[in-house]
Amino acid sequence: MRTVNLKAATVTAVAGAAAAVAAGRLAGDTALRTPPDRPLPTEPHLTVHDVGEDWISLTRDLAALRPGVYGLVGRDTGDGGPHAVVGPVREDLPHAPDAVVRRLERVSRGALRRGDRVWFTSAVHVGNPVTALDLTYADVEVPGELGLLPGWFLPGQRSTWVIAAHGLGSTREQVLNLLPFFHDQAFPVLALAHRGDPGAPRSPDRRFHFGETEWRDLDAAIRYAVRYGARRVVLLGWSAGATMALRAAQRSGLRSRVAGVVLDSPVLDWEATARTLATARGVPRALLPLAVRAARGRLQAHEDPAWDDPDPLRTPTLILHGPDDRVADWQLSRALADRLPQLVTLRTFRGAPHAAMWNSDPARYEEAVRRFLTPFM
């Protein structure tokens, strides 16, 4: 009887372990699910209470009270979904206690109606540089290790190019926020669509790697820029795109051509970010260690977090980040700046969500970038 019970217990334990491993893999896949055109699970959905000619009333929530200017998008029903731009909170208009009224700058696509479910996005423009901003550009293709990567190239008079990489849950449209600024400063800009984006090759495992492999696409963009006349480049990235920029500055064979790096809300510890996203998607706390372990194995990720990588960072770096970021830990940005004070400058933006530092205060953001870029002009 003892032998039978021991065998039964062993079978039960093995089955339980197998189930836990399977659940961990499923949870790991959940953590790695970051479509480029979907909101992150940390972004709350709000309800439109009412819409006027130059105002919109939304569910009263901390997100609805954020300072600055944001895109406001709704569910895609096949036409891309509605997109509008909202400005600061308006205290001059009456509203219900459960609502917040913000200035409605414009409706870029579709229409917003009472009862619509919407969420904030950092992208205040839709389309391409011509349709959104009336800026001349060329569609280019950058040869990458997985195939051709689409890019927007905006010409400029300077020999230093800006190469930009968008972040989690966004597309190249995120770069449109800063194109008027770079155009005014006469910098050529290459806005890259990296692996997994619409029109770009997908990773062989069909998963996003939080910049840990995608940085090679940015490396390809550096080679492209140098081939077509750039003497130096400045790498700009948001979120995991910032991780790509940091990794490329550390590891690219052409890293000597990288004059500077600008990081907005950098994901400096992808495991912590994966845990946050998995939790927001409903993965039970008990499964989080298994989820991260499964994700690490599937990604074959670099062991060292980006903020503490032994590969030396030798490039002047500007970090734009804030303590209200729920996806990427601002404390790690501060730790990196404290560790390398001669190279890294941190500008803190309070009240801004992940990868939306520009949105919280565009003028201050652009002035910080302008000062950083002055030596490269």
Side-chain angles (χ1 to χ4, degrees), residues 192-250:
L192 189 69
H194 52 72
R195 62 188 70 184
D197 284 349
R202 299 185 67 176
S203 295
D205 61 4
R206 308 288 182 173
R207 295 177 180 87
F208 187 70
H209 294 192
F210 292 96
E212 294 293 341
T213 57
E214 291 83 3
W215 72 268
R216 298 183 190 122
D217 295 343
L218 211 51
D219 179 44
I222 297 171
R223 297 178 185 280
Y224 179 92
V226 171
R227 185 182 310 125
Y228 286 97
R231 295 184 60 189
R232 297 183 297 180
V233 301
V234 171
L235 303 180
L236 164 66
W238 290 260
S239 181
T243 310
M244 292 167 56
L246 185 59
R247 293 301 199 195
Q250 292 170 312

Side-chain angles (χ1 to χ4, degrees), residues 137-171:
Y137 82 103
D139 285 309
V140 300
E141 292 183 323
V142 175
E145 68 173 0
L146 300 181
L148 295 176
L149 303 164
W152 294 329
F153 175 69
L154 282 80
Q157 298 174 355
R158 303 191 187 280
S159 60
T160 298
W161 290 26
V162 174
I163 302 177
H166 69 81
L168 295 168
S170 62
T171 66

Side-chain angles (χ1 to χ4, degrees), residues 94-181:
H95 56 82
D98 63 342
V100 172
V101 177
R102 297 188 73 114
R103 189 169 69 209
L104 181 61
E105 305 283 358
R106 64 181 181 273
V107 177
S108 312
R109 183 177 61 211
L112 292 171
R113 301 177 179 86
R114 185 181 301 177
D116 283 352
R117 296 283 283 169
V118 295
W119 55 90
F120 279 23
T121 172
S122 62
V124 300
H125 301 285
V126 293
N128 59 50
V130 165
T131 59
L133 301 165
D134 198 26
L135 291 176
T136 300
Y137 82 103
D139 285 309
V140 300
E141 292 183 323
V142 175
E145 68 173 0
L146 300 181
L148 295 176
L149 303 164
W152 294 329
F153 175 69
L154 282 80
Q157 298 174 355
R158 303 191 187 280
S159 60
T160 298
W161 290 26
V162 174
I163 302 177
H166 69 81
L168 295 168
S170 62
T171 66
R172 278 182 292 170
E173 290 178 336
Q174 187 171 39
V175 184
L176 294 173
N177 291 354
L178 284 175
L179 289 189
F181 165 77

Side-chain angles (χ1 to χ4, degrees), residues 1-148:
M1 182 65 71
R2 290 197 188 103
T3 302
V4 172
N5 286 343
L6 180 59
K7 288 181 178 179
T10 301
V11 169
T12 300
V14 170
V21 170
R25 288 177 178 170
L26 179 60
D29 285 343
T30 298
L32 298 177
R33 192 170 66 244
T34 54
D37 55 352
R38 304 283 180 83
L40 295 178
T42 52
E43 188 62 37
H45 287 205
L46 309 171
T47 300
V48 176
H49 288 211
D50 207 352
V51 184
E53 183 177 347
D54 61 354
W55 57 270
I56 185 167
S57 177
L58 302 167
T59 305
R60 190 170 191 84
D61 185 274
L62 289 177
L65 291 167
R66 292 167 181 163
V69 57
Y70 294 85
L72 191 70
V73 296
R75 188 168 61 89
D76 186 353
T77 57
D79 57 354
H83 180 281
V85 180
V86 296
V89 173
R90 294 189 58 173
E91 300 290 357
D92 59 318
L93 295 179
H95 56 82
D98 63 342
V100 172
V101 177
R102 297 188 73 114
R103 189 169 69 209
L104 181 61
E105 305 283 358
R106 64 181 181 273
V107 177
S108 312
R109 183 177 61 211
L112 292 171
R113 301 177 179 86
R114 185 181 301 177
D116 283 352
R117 296 283 283 169
V118 295
W119 55 90
F120 279 23
T121 172
S122 62
V124 300
H125 301 285
V126 293
N128 59 50
V130 165
T131 59
L133 301 165
D134 198 26
L135 291 176
T136 300
Y137 82 103
D139 285 309
V140 300
E141 292 183 323
V142 175
E145 68 173 0
L146 300 181
L148 295 176

Side-chain angles (χ1 to χ4, degrees), residues 21-33 207-208 210 270 274 278 281 283 287-288 290-296 298-299:
V21 170
R25 288 177 178 170
L26 179 60
D29 285 343
T30 298
L32 298 177
R33 192 170 66 244
R207 295 177 180 87
F208 187 70
F210 292 96
W270 74 265
R281 290 192 175 102
V283 172
L287 287 179
L288 291 178
L290 289 173
V292 172
R293 189 181 307 166
R296 188 188 303 123
R298 293 194 175 204
L299 300 185

